[in-house]
Amino acid sequence: MQFWTQAGLAVRRHPKKSVTLAAIIFVISAVFILQGIVSATVNTVTNAATERIAPGFTVTSTAGDFQEEAAQKLLDYDRLTGHNFVLHTAAEAQQLGFVSVTGASDVSKLPTFAEEDAQIDEASLQKLQSTQSIILPELIAQQLGIKAGDKLTLGKDSSEVELEVAGVYKQDISGSKNPDVSVYASLETAQKLAGKTAVSSATYLTKAEDVDHAIKFAKEHATQGLEVASNTGGAADLLGSVFGFATLLLRLLRVILVSGGLILAFVLAFFVRSRIHEIGILLTIGFSKLRIFAQVATELIMLTIPAFIVALIASEIAGHFLSAQILQSATDGQISAVPLSALSSSAIAAFGGIIAIVLAALLIAILPILRLPPKRILAKMS
């Protein structure tokens, strides 16, 4: 009890110095916490990107669409776990003009439905694959005044195809700059509308450990003119921009963190020297150097705890807006916040880091004094 009382008295006895030290510790704490929040945000974006992209490879052509037969050849790879052929075309609908039509061998695996950006019942998806039909976005269905089960005629060039509306999908377009208004169909239906047995892209799925081997196989057996790329390529582009911004921000924060630590050590050196007479007397009456270091460290910890709490509140508020901006641009608003567990972990790590920085700065400041014998310390005052 006497130990903590002495530390408390020392803090109150030097109010200006104590406030100065607390302010420096506040800045270091805030930067440390913000650094953790930025890192946690980047990890959240990385996890979201990798979870949304299945391992495998995608084949495209620089010339645009290519023959389905060329895509079928690569199905000979014996380690595939799935595939999806997609054709993008356009057709003319009455009262609407041309609309985008996306046909796929498995519409449910398209990002719009696989990532639950759009809501459609399973029965409509199954009907789409088994009949000559289409799925409309709610926006188009409302404009045309049609519903599931109705007929819609789509045409291209001089041919027209009457299709049944298998279902209407709903999509949350709030905050989306480019809402999806595509008409979805089976691959066969889209090819009939396009008038060719072609695909725009062919995606092949494998186990994560087989991706490199699968890509090598595809490059060796793909028809000339086709390009093979890992499915994670899109994630790399997304993460590249996020990492670029985060890296610059983290570097800035680290510079401030190191500068704050050096300033803290410099201020503590003056703080310790102003108490050199007190330290000399304590050593003379039998206090150990470890006991003196522990008391000064306790004083700093008493300043660190409230400074850290205030910094935590301020940094969480600032970090919330910062991470929200990063997540909004990287995930188009699909992830609005960093998981609480990640923030808690970064806060705990920050507190441990701040204590380490404070004690290291104190050690640098007080060691030149404590290594001297008591008489030499007292002689310095005279």
Side-chain angles (χ1 to χ4, degrees):
M1 182 65 180
Q2 186 180 5
F3 182 83
W4 286 95
T5 302
Q6 289 175 347
L9 288 173
V11 170
R12 291 192 294 272
R13 196 165 61 244
H14 306 92
K16 291 183 179 179
K17 294 177 182 177
S18 296
V19 170
T20 301
L21 288 171
I24 297 172
I25 294 171
F26 165 81
V27 173
I28 297 174
S29 299
V31 171
F32 216 123
I33 296 166
L34 279 174
Q35 184 176 268
I37 291 174
V38 172
S39 297
T41 302
V42 171
N43 289 336
T44 300
V45 173
T46 302
N47 293 336
T50 53
E51 285 176 1
R52 292 172 62 180
I53 298 177
F57 62 93
T58 298
V59 176
T60 55
S61 172
T62 54
D65 299 337
F66 58 97
Q67 286 300 308
E68 184 183 356
E69 182 181 356
Q72 292 282 357
K73 284 174 55 179
L74 297 181
L75 292 178
D76 293 338
Y77 184 65
D78 58 3
R79 300 185 192 177
L80 292 178
T81 59
H83 72 280
N84 200 19
F85 298 162
V86 178
L87 174 63
H88 299 292
T89 185
E92 189 174 9
Q94 294 178 354
Q95 302 175 5
L96 282 178
F98 279 94
V99 294
S100 172
V101 178
T102 299
S105 50
D106 189 348
V107 174
S108 65
K109 290 181 181 178
L110 293 174
T112 300
F113 300 103
E115 296 166 11
E116 298 183 351
D117 293 342
Q119 299 175 356
I120 187 73
D121 60 274
E122 189 66 28
S124 296
L125 289 175
Q126 291 178 354
K127 186 176 182 180
L128 183 72
Q129 299 300 134
S130 60
T131 61
Q132 190 168 291
S133 55
I134 54 174
I135 292 177
L136 296 177
E138 190 175 39
L139 185 64
I140 290 180
Q142 289 176 347
Q143 288 179 348
L144 295 177
I146 58 179
K147 61 185 183 301
D150 291 346
K151 301 289 185 177
L152 179 64
T153 300
L154 294 180
K156 188 174 183 180
D157 298 330
S158 58
S159 62
E160 289 187 342
V161 180
E162 187 179 62
L163 302 168
E164 182 182 350
V165 178
V168 176
Y169 69 86
K170 297 181 180 179
Q171 186 177 31
D172 182 11
I173 60 174
S174 58
S176 179
K177 296 179 181 178
N178 298 302
D180 182 15
V181 289
S182 292
V183 172
Y184 290 93
S186 66
L187 180 63
E188 293 76 15
T189 301
Q191 289 175 339
K192 188 171 184 179
L193 286 170
K196 55 184 178 180
T197 56
V199 296
S200 303
S201 66
T203 300
Y204 304 83
L205 306 180
T206 68
K207 294 180 180 179
E209 59 268 24
D210 293 332
V211 171
D212 292 338
H213 185 268
I215 290 177
K216 182 180 179 181
F217 173 89
K219 288 182 176 179
E220 291 174 352
H221 294 81
T223 303
Q224 187 175 4
L226 297 184
E227 294 185 339
V228 180
S230 171
N231 290 345
T232 59
D237 294 337
L238 167 67
L239 295 175
S241 60
V242 174
F243 285 153
F245 172 75
T247 299
L248 289 175
L249 186 58
L250 286 172
R251 285 178 181 174
L252 175 62
L253 292 175
R254 283 166 187 162
V255 169
I256 297 173
L257 190 63
V258 172
S259 301
L262 293 174
I263 292 172
L264 179 62
F266 184 73
V267 172
L268 278 174
F270 279 95
F271 177 69
V272 170
R273 289 191 67 83
S274 70
R275 299 175 62 181
I276 192 169
H277 189 248
E278 177 188 345
I279 293 172
I281 292 175
L282 291 175
L283 288 172
T284 302
I285 63 176
F287 277 58
S288 67
K289 293 180 179 180
L290 182 60
R291 170 72 168 74
I292 294 172
F293 176 82
Q295 179 170 324
V296 180
T298 303
E299 296 171 15
L300 286 175
I301 291 173
M302 293 176 72
L303 294 173
T304 299
I305 292 174
F308 181 82
I309 292 173
V310 175
L312 180 63
I313 296 171
S315 297
E316 290 292 343
I317 294 173
H320 171 75
F321 289 105
L322 181 62
S323 64
Q325 291 299 316
I326 296 175
L327 292 172
Q328 173 64 33
S329 68
T331 67
D332 199 22
Q334 294 179 23
I335 301 176
S336 58
V338 177
L340 184 60
S341 58
L343 295 179
S344 301
S345 299
S346 64
I348 294 171
F351 183 71
I354 291 302
I355 295 296
I357 290 174
V358 168
L359 294 180
L362 174 60
L363 195 62
I364 293 171
I366 204 171
L367 203 58
I369 302 297
L370 291 182
R371 67 181 179 82
L372 299 175
K375 289 183 179 180
R376 286 194 62 184
I377 293 176
L378 292 172
K380 283 182 173 288
M381 286 301 298
S382 60

